Amino acid sequence: MKPSILYLYLMTCIAAAGCGKADAVFFQDKSTVMKADRTGWSATASSEETTCETATANLVLDGKTATYWSSQGCPTVLPYPHSITVDMKNAIHLVTIDIIARQNDANGMTRFKLEGSTDGASWTVLKDNLAFVPTTRTAQSYPVPSSGTFRYLRLTALAGPIQKTFLSEIEVYTTK
């Protein structure tokens, strides 16, 4: 089976009801898409940890899996939901979002949603109530249906084993 057909088959299977596949898909072949250039991108969050450690939102864009963003956990832990918003500076067509868990703590989020926006004020839900496996140390891919382009991407963590959450990296794939 050709890689592009396999990718299409996986996308079709995910979209179909009763497919039995997990929300996260681990694509080995991304020949029809490319990583978006993150130069100049910035990230903000509903909260970030700056008191007991440095775990700011922009660390999800630094290309290092050893660093991470964490919602506030010190001196008080804020409850869910927690959100992180990436400003991609230009509108791009979102195809797949890759998310990498914090590498040294398996207590991160387990459910989340993805939204896109052209102006940072009005949001379109791309995918909701997605499963995330915080013990997986490699990228978890989430294909998103999109008929348009978006400048902003927001990930909202909805649940996890503890009240705070954290992420190592967020990568965006777009069409070639």
Side-chain angles (χ1 to χ4, degrees):
M1 186 177 287
K2 291 173 53 178
S4 59
I5 293 171
L6 178 60
Y7 181 81
L8 179 59
Y9 170 75
L10 286 170
M11 295 293 291
T12 303
C13 185
I14 290 166
C19 173
K21 300 293 181 194
D23 290 327
V25 178
F26 299 91
F27 289 109
Q28 297 299 316
D29 173 52
K30 288 186 173 153
S31 63
T32 60
V33 298
M34 65 181 186
K35 274 187 187 180
D37 180 2
R38 298 189 304 180
T39 303
W41 289 15
S42 62
T44 56
S46 56
S47 74
E48 44 186 23
E49 183 54 59
T50 58
T51 303
C52 294
E53 64 180 327
T54 301
T56 57
N58 273 327
L59 293 174
V60 299
L61 301 172
D62 70 356
K64 301 173 186 172
T65 58
T67 62
Y68 54 89
W69 158 71
S70 175
S71 61
Q72 181 180 317
C74 181
T76 58
V77 178
L78 298 178
Y80 284 98
H82 305 291
S83 65
I84 186 164
T85 303
V86 176
D87 180 352
M88 300 177 287
K89 304 301 180 189
N90 295 302
I92 63 171
H93 181 254
L94 305 177
V95 176
T96 299
I97 311 302
D98 275 10
I99 303 167
I100 301 176
R102 179 177 171 177
Q103 302 297 291
N104 62 350
D105 193 324
N107 290 309
M109 70 175 184
T110 55
R111 304 297 298 171
F112 71 100
K113 73 177 174 178
L114 292 169
E115 298 169 284
S117 175
T118 57
D119 60 7
S122 209
W123 294 90
T124 299
V125 175
L126 303 172
K127 290 276 188 132
D128 198 1
N129 203 28
L130 296 165
F132 186 75
V133 183
T135 56
T136 300
R137 300 294 176 240
T138 55
Q140 296 174 58
S141 297
Y142 298 88
V144 293
S146 173
S147 58
T149 59
F150 299 98
R151 174 179 168 169
Y152 300 90
L153 172 67
R154 181 167 61 193
L155 180 150
T156 302
L158 304 171
I162 61 174
Q163 287 299 303
K164 71 176 189 171
T165 197
F166 22 74
L167 293 174
S168 177
E169 289 290 310
I170 297 175
E171 288 280 0
V172 174
Y173 285 81
T174 187
T175 52
K176 282 188 176 178

